[in-house]
Amino acid sequence: MDATQAGTPAMLEQWTAAQAGFHRLATRLTDEVTRRTGLPASSIQVLLLLLQSPPYHTLTMTQLARHLEFSTAGITKVTDRLGQSGLIERSPCQTDRRVVRATLTPQGLQAAGHAADLLADAVQQQVIARIGEDGLARLAGLVAAVDLGR
Amino acid sequence: MDATQAGTPAMLEQWTAAQAGFHRLATRLTDEVTRRTGLPASSIQVLLLLLQSPPYHTLTMTQLARHLEFSTAGITKVTDRLGQSGLIERSPCQTDRRVVRATLTPQGLQAAGHAADLLADAVQQQVIARIGEDGLARLAGLVAAVDLGR
DNA sequence: CAAGATTGATGTTTCAATCTTA
DNA sequence: TAAGATTGAAACATCAATCTTG
């Protein structure tokens, strides 16, 4: 028996089940927000990340890409769409002119807040109601622990 | 203060962090398999699901779509590609001629086993090594608990 | 030469419409 | 009439190549 099989097949099934289940959950929650705002999932993620980046609700393209595990090309296009919708503004950085920063506009701040409210409702009803606040905390903790050794 | 705010902003940040972290993890594990097999993530998911569906490694299009939270259109095209690669075979159901079933070919069974080995290695090294087998079990349990009340 | 960002081409997924069968 | 599956069009994300700046 080699190292490949050491964890038993059950380990792999646990992982695939967790992956599929998490995907179902994330889809269900995001769809709730998408349906009421018309925004695709990636745009919602960008808006919420900027909302959670006080005090100026500003991040660079690469910061957005790193946090969301997106390609920089993808971030360029998401922020293009958000810019055309008037929800964010892109501005070149003064000190390093290679850098482009994305900032929530007042309208974007409002949209992000609305999306956050809708998502919070969904999390409350579909997650907290089933595993409690401590359940969510344990879930987030486990994911973070795996992420740390990155 | 209305129900929307009840869970505190921290609850929402925990969720967004968990979502981003899980996405990073899933991407990292799958990329490992994709790089060595040339198969996109969705094809890998279909192969593994069929592998875990004994005794005949057969599922219908809608079963695949439901388990993976894919559109049926998407499943049609994934199985198209897998069929062209000779990894699965599509056959009409005898008793209900609307239904199409996908079955692993001998070659597909081998490919699925290989993908499972690669993924199991990645899970072992990147997940078990950090949170242990019981950590993965807790993670899967929490996700399943949220999924149940579906 | 390396890092940040963008563009065009490519692959994948979904949506809407359609076809077939129950 | 509804359910299962497929098709073509559109949306989205990634890759490779390119441009600019440090």
Side-chain angles (χ1 to χ4, degrees), chain A residues 70-114:
Chain A
F70 266 52
S71 64
T72 59
I75 288 295
T76 293
K77 294 175 186 183
V78 174
T79 54
D80 269 348
R81 295 194 289 271
L82 287 170
Q84 285 175 355
S85 303
L87 301 181
I88 68 167
E89 190 177 16
R90 271 144 101 189
S91 54
C93 177
Q94 300 295 339
T95 61
D96 185 340
R97 290 162 62 193
R98 295 173 302 183
V99 175
V100 174
R101 299 182 310 172
T103 307
L104 287 179
T105 62
Q107 184 186 351
L109 188 60
Q110 184 179 6
H114 185 214

Side-chain angles (χ1 to χ4, degrees), chain A residues 19, chain B residues 30 34 39-49 64 68 70 74-75 77-79 81-82:
Chain A
Q19 180 180 20
Chain B
T30 302
T34 294
L39 294 168
S42 56
S43 294
I44 295 168
Q45 285 180 294
V46 167
L47 287 181
L48 292 185
L49 187 54
L64 285 171
L68 300 176
F70 264 52
I75 288 296
K77 295 177 185 184
V78 174
T79 53
R81 295 194 289 270
L82 287 170

Side-chain angles (χ1 to χ4, degrees), chain B residues 62 72-73 76-77 90 98 100:
Chain B
T62 51
T72 59
T76 293
K77 295 177 185 184
R90 272 144 100 188
R98 295 173 302 181
V100 174

Side-chain angles (χ1 to χ4, degrees), chain B residues 39 47-48 50-51 87 104 107-117:
Chain B
L39 294 168
L47 287 181
L48 292 185
L50 289 174
L51 182 66
L87 300 181
L104 286 179
Q107 184 186 350
L109 188 60
Q110 183 180 6
H114 184 215
D117 286 346

Side-chain angles (χ1 to χ4, degrees), chain B residues 63-139:
Chain B
Q63 285 174 328
L64 285 171
R66 296 237 174 92
H67 279 288
L68 300 176
E69 190 77 351
F70 264 52
S71 65
T72 59
I75 288 296
T76 293
K77 295 177 185 184
V78 174
T79 53
D80 269 348
R81 295 194 289 270
L82 287 170
Q84 285 175 354
S85 303
L87 300 181
I88 69 167
E89 189 176 19
R90 272 144 100 188
S91 55
C93 178
Q94 301 294 339
T95 61
D96 186 340
R97 289 162 63 193
R98 295 173 302 181
V99 174
V100 174
R101 299 183 310 172
T103 307
L104 286 179
T105 62
Q107 184 186 350
L109 188 60
Q110 183 180 6
H114 184 215
D117 286 346
L118 290 172
L119 186 58
D121 278 346
V123 171
Q124 182 73 43
Q125 292 169 16
Q126 304 199 31
V127 181
I128 304 296
R130 287 173 192 144
I131 61 176
E133 290 200 29
D134 57 326
L136 174 58
R138 285 199 300 271
L139 183 62

